[in-house]
Amino acid sequence: MEDTGKEALKMEAFGVVSYNRPYICKECGGIMVFKGCGEYACENCRAKDYDDYGKVRNYIEHNQGANAAEIELKTGVSQKAIRQMLKESRLEITADSVAFMRCEFCGTEIRSGRFCPACEVAYHRKKESQMREKMKGFGLETEEERRNRNNKGEKRFLRDE
């Protein structure tokens, strides 16, 4: 039991969140199989159970406008896990809500995810250029190199005869 606690702390430290998924059926002891949207069904008796995401999603569907504290109280899912689901864009804060999140770069108010649309584009462009730099020398040419190539239409490699 102590090892699982240590593993949970390690995962939390690295930002890995597990959503407490059911593995064993509470009714018959059978294996739970993922059905989608946080729902699981027993292989043997077809009993349904939900992981944390499924619990939160079902609660929100029946109680629109619920806040994180209320959801935690009713479902038992921690507010930290709920915030993580918002950051992963698995959930979204409703437009009529007074609550919001902030973009991690510019601080603009957002309803889900980590970045506002403008910063998300900039983030992905930056990551793409970093990957292009890493891949230089592996036979991949940049867009600029392709445009500047003098031998348009020529074969790049010739067979030895």
Side-chain angles (χ1 to χ4, degrees):
M1 188 72 175
E2 191 176 309
D3 287 335
T4 58
K6 287 180 183 177
E7 282 300 313
L9 285 173
K10 283 181 188 176
M11 290 172 62
E12 186 176 321
F14 289 111
V16 177
V17 177
S18 72
Y19 293 120
N20 295 325
R21 102 168 255 249
Y23 292 99
I24 305 296
C25 178
K26 295 174 186 173
E27 305 293 323
C28 72
I31 296 174
M32 300 299 284
V33 178
F34 181 70
K35 295 297 180 183
C37 293
E39 182 180 321
Y40 295 79
C42 177
E43 281 184 332
N44 300 333
C45 69
R46 298 286 178 223
K48 288 184 181 179
D49 201 357
Y50 299 91
D51 63 10
D52 287 351
Y53 170 70
K55 290 174 188 174
V56 170
R57 185 172 185 260
N58 287 337
Y59 187 79
I60 291 172
E61 283 180 1
H62 295 98
N63 301 284
Q64 292 181 354
N67 62 28
E70 179 185 342
I71 295 168
E72 178 183 33
L73 183 66
K74 299 294 183 179
T75 64
V77 178
S78 71
Q79 289 187 42
K80 182 176 182 174
I82 294 168
R83 280 192 302 274
Q84 185 64 32
M85 289 178 212
L86 286 164
K87 284 185 174 185
E88 293 173 357
S89 296
R90 297 179 111 209
L91 300 174
E92 185 176 304
I93 299 171
T94 58
D96 61 345
S97 175
V98 294
F100 56 86
M101 296 169 38
R102 294 206 177 268
C103 172
E104 291 181 12
F105 283 148
C106 69
T108 303
E109 295 178 5
I110 54 175
R111 299 289 175 187
S112 72
R114 296 175 53 208
F115 311 116
C116 68
C119 291
E120 188 167 4
V121 168
Y123 174 79
H124 286 290
R125 284 191 177 145
K126 179 181 175 186
K127 285 291 182 189
E128 183 181 16
S129 67
Q130 288 172 348
M131 286 305 294
R132 285 185 190 276
E133 284 298 314
K134 278 185 179 178
M135 297 305 289
K136 273 190 176 177
F138 286 102
L140 300 176
E141 57 187 0
T142 64
E143 188 69 28
E144 186 177 324
E145 289 170 340
R146 188 179 59 75
R147 272 188 257 120
N148 293 335
R149 194 174 348 124
N150 294 343
N151 55 355
K152 290 184 172 57
E154 294 180 12
K155 291 182 182 178
R156 295 177 82 191
F157 303 100
L158 299 175
R159 292 182 192 223
D160 292 335
E161 293 181 25

